[in-house]
Amino acid sequence: MYQETINSLKSIETTATHIKKLGVILNKTEDSKLKTLIQNTLTLLQKAHANPNVKGKSTPGNLYNATQPPIKALIQYCEQFIEIKKPEWQVLAERNGWTPPTAE
């Protein structure tokens, strides 16, 4: 899920397509923190898309280099797990008290 989120943010898409792709990820993930961060990003994108000056049109672009705090927080959250190669199931399990077995 984390790599899929980053890939979505890095793709060159219109705001409407970014909203759609992030919405799909939001519905698939079970990570509550990821859901919150995606929702914050979606709210930001929806406000920008609804701006009367934009009239629902946008130039395709990527969100990976965006400076808005909700997007930066989403990127930072996802990349910490990508960097250590930790899958979503393990993040959720550890959050609920599971620990990997120790070598004896």
Side-chain angles (χ1 to χ4, degrees):
M1 243 355 88
Y2 307 114
Q3 186 63 56
E4 188 176 340
T5 303
I6 293 298
N7 292 347
S8 175
L9 295 172
K10 284 183 174 180
S11 65
I12 307 294
E13 308 286 356
T14 62
T15 301
T17 304
H18 278 297
I19 291 168
K20 186 177 178 181
K21 285 185 172 184
L22 287 172
V24 169
I25 295 168
L26 178 69
N27 289 325
K28 287 196 308 189
T29 186
E30 294 180 26
D31 183 337
S32 60
K33 289 184 181 182
L34 181 59
K35 282 185 181 212
T36 299
L37 291 166
I38 290 175
Q39 191 59 58
N40 292 345
T41 299
L42 286 173
T43 300
L44 176 78
L45 293 175
Q46 288 164 340
K47 285 180 183 174
H49 190 60
N51 182 332
N53 296 331
V54 175
K55 297 185 176 95
K57 297 178 184 171
S58 64
T59 304
N62 79 57
L63 298 174
Y64 190 76
N65 297 317
T67 58
Q68 295 91 338
I71 298 172
K72 289 177 86 165
L74 176 59
I75 291 167
Q76 182 180 10
Y77 181 77
C78 290
E79 287 191 337
Q80 70 180 328
F81 298 120
I82 293 168
E83 199 172 294
I84 59 174
K85 299 181 179 359
K86 191 175 282 193
E88 182 179 3
W89 71 263
Q90 188 175 351
V91 172
L92 297 175
E94 288 175 359
R95 200 173 288 156
N96 288 299
W98 177 83
T99 55
T102 55
E104 292 181 25

